[in-house]
Amino acid sequence: MIRCKPVNASRPTIIPRADHPISRRHLSDNAVRVLYRLRDHGFHACLVGGCIRDLLLGREPKDFDVVTDATPTQIKKLFRNCRLVGRRFRLAHLHFHDEIIEVATFRSASTGDDDPDSSGEGSGRLPRIVKDDDGMILRDNRFGTPEEDALRRDFTVNALYYTIADFSLIDYVGGLADLNRGVIRTIGDPAVRFVEDPVRMIRAIRFAAQLGFAIEQENWQAMVDLSHHTTNASPPRLYEEILKLFLSGEGERCYQLLRQSGIFAALFPAVNSWLETETDGFPHVRFGRVLEVVDSRVTLGEPVSPPLLLALLFGEYLEEQAAHLRKGGAAPQDALDASMARFMEDISRTVQVPHKVALGMRGILSCRHRFASTPGRRPLSFLARPGFGEAFRYLALTAETTDDAKELHTWWERYLAGNPPPPAREENGRPAGDAPRRKGRGRRRRRRPSAERHPSQGEFP
């Protein structure tokens, strides 16, 4: 535990190298190179955010983010491997062989209202911050000082800086105290900060679950009161955040916090209503149990693909919806297709699942009914079906939560032991993994001399 004093933005707490455990050998070599090159060209550069938080907690960082007073254009001139990305926040991505280092410019705490005509970095004016009528930030490219940048970050524990100048830690907002107490707290009024960027509420849940921290009480109440604002974020961004939550290794804990805060109901209203009801006198508890199984696999380092994850989470709901349609006379596959189409249409307003992922999810659930036929007609053809491996993993994982799936999985496991599946084939019939055959170059058609051309073709100079 690092001892720290109460701080404010004007008098930050500085922890010298001798008093903190972070060493350069703990850092990414590429990140260190970036820091030194920026310093050698006269710029101030620091590591910031999750990497510092994780190192202080004894965890291995997943990535290293750099912040500097160099503008995106200046960064691009310094690094040939630089690509500028983002419109809302202009960032530089430095591409190395084995990782990407993200470099951002210190952002200003000013709203930019004093400069309403500013339009961009190259215009000679500072780009302003753009908000919508509700106060959500749409664009934020106004550059500032390290102190201002700290005040613009989301949570106190993510606003700790490691400077390459003297290897010290700098805390402008009391992040070290909250890190020691195990508290997730916004920087500033949580009601304002969550409206500015509703995804912060989802991030607060993920950090609390992953780190084993508590969400500060005022922040939690603001999340409950503003949970409906999460739908103001873009559906593609919410899809990515949901994947991060449920593939974090603490997905079940994230799910409980989502339900308790009301955010799950805002993102998945139809599924939430279904979870609050019973079917044949039994509550719907498989959602949480499935996430416990997924958490165990993620902890072991086993990959769980997005189609498999979504099939596991929403499979029971979709199967029940399809069962209602089958009672009305629909064929099994037609019933599943109709249920999938309705489900995707409903959630696309809040969480936009990519089409390819939805197709993979549909393929997994389609195989679920085929598994019920043991072995059924042409079983070897079924084993060679594209996506069979993911479908069998779905059966294996659901077998850990339901008895009927357990019996099916046991039967097919024995069958596969005596009948190894042939190599999987893609939809075009080519064995999976084979490179497509290159078409041979055809003979070039010989052109007739211009004198032999038909008169209607005309003459060209």
Side-chain angles (χ1 to χ4, degrees), residues 38 40 49 65 91 145 159 161 192 249 403 405 431:
L38 287 167
D40 292 345
D65 294 337
L91 301 170
T145 64
Y161 295 74
V192 174
D403 291 335

Side-chain angles (χ1 to χ4, degrees), residues 188-348:
D189 184 346
V192 174
R193 302 312 305 277
F194 289 147
V195 170
E196 284 180 344
D197 185 358
V199 169
R200 285 177 181 146
M201 290 184 274
I202 298 178
R203 286 168 58 83
I205 286 175
R206 176 159 57 89
F207 292 141
Q210 284 186 300
L211 302 175
F213 282 16
I215 299 175
E216 188 270 337
Q217 184 57 41
E218 185 181 355
N219 280 248
W220 176 256
Q221 188 58 52
M223 289 170 61
V224 172
D225 295 340
L226 299 170
S227 58
H228 60 283
H229 276 269
T230 52
T231 58
N232 291 342
S234 70
R237 188 177 178 209
L238 287 173
Y239 166 76
E240 295 296 334
E241 291 297 329
I242 289 298
L243 287 187
K244 291 178 184 178
L245 281 180
F246 292 143
L247 294 176
S248 65
E250 294 291 343
E252 198 278 335
R253 176 61 178 155
C254 290
Y255 166 63
Q256 297 299 336
L257 292 173
L258 286 174
R259 293 291 305 280
Q260 294 164 17
S261 64
I263 293 175
F264 189 93
L267 297 178
F268 307 105
V271 177
N272 186 72
S273 298
W274 173 77
L275 287 169
E276 294 178 345
T277 63
E278 295 182 349
T279 298
D280 299 329
F282 293 95
H284 299 113
V285 296
R286 183 173 132 187
F287 202 104
R289 290 177 181 172
V290 159
L291 280 169
E292 291 177 349
V293 174
V294 171
D295 289 343
S296 67
R297 297 304 189 274
V298 172
T299 302
L300 293 172
E302 296 181 17
V304 178
S305 69
L308 178 58
L309 173 69
L310 297 183
L312 288 166
L313 294 179
F314 301 109
E316 184 186 17
Y317 171 77
L318 289 166
E319 287 170 5
E320 196 166 303
Q321 303 304 306
H324 289 304
L325 296 177
R326 290 199 302 273
K327 288 180 180 178
Q333 188 61 51
D334 292 341
L336 176 62
D337 290 346
S339 299
M340 277 286 303
R342 185 180 304 168
F343 173 70
M344 288 301 166
E345 182 180 1
D346 288 344
I347 70 169
S348 65

Side-chain angles (χ1 to χ4, degrees), residues 76-118:
K76 188 171 179 63
K77 289 180 180 178
L78 279 180
F79 298 92
R80 291 184 299 174
N81 58 339
C82 173
R83 294 180 185 174
L84 299 183
V85 299
R87 295 183 60 186
R88 183 175 175 227
F89 302 127
R90 196 66 168 159
L91 301 170
H93 280 181
L94 306 185
H95 292 253
F96 294 90
H97 174 69
D98 52 350
E99 68 178 327
I100 296 176
I101 301 297
E102 185 174 280
V103 184
T105 305
F106 294 123
R107 292 200 297 274
S108 171
S110 169
T111 62
D113 294 337
D114 57 331
D115 190 14
D117 297 325
S118 59

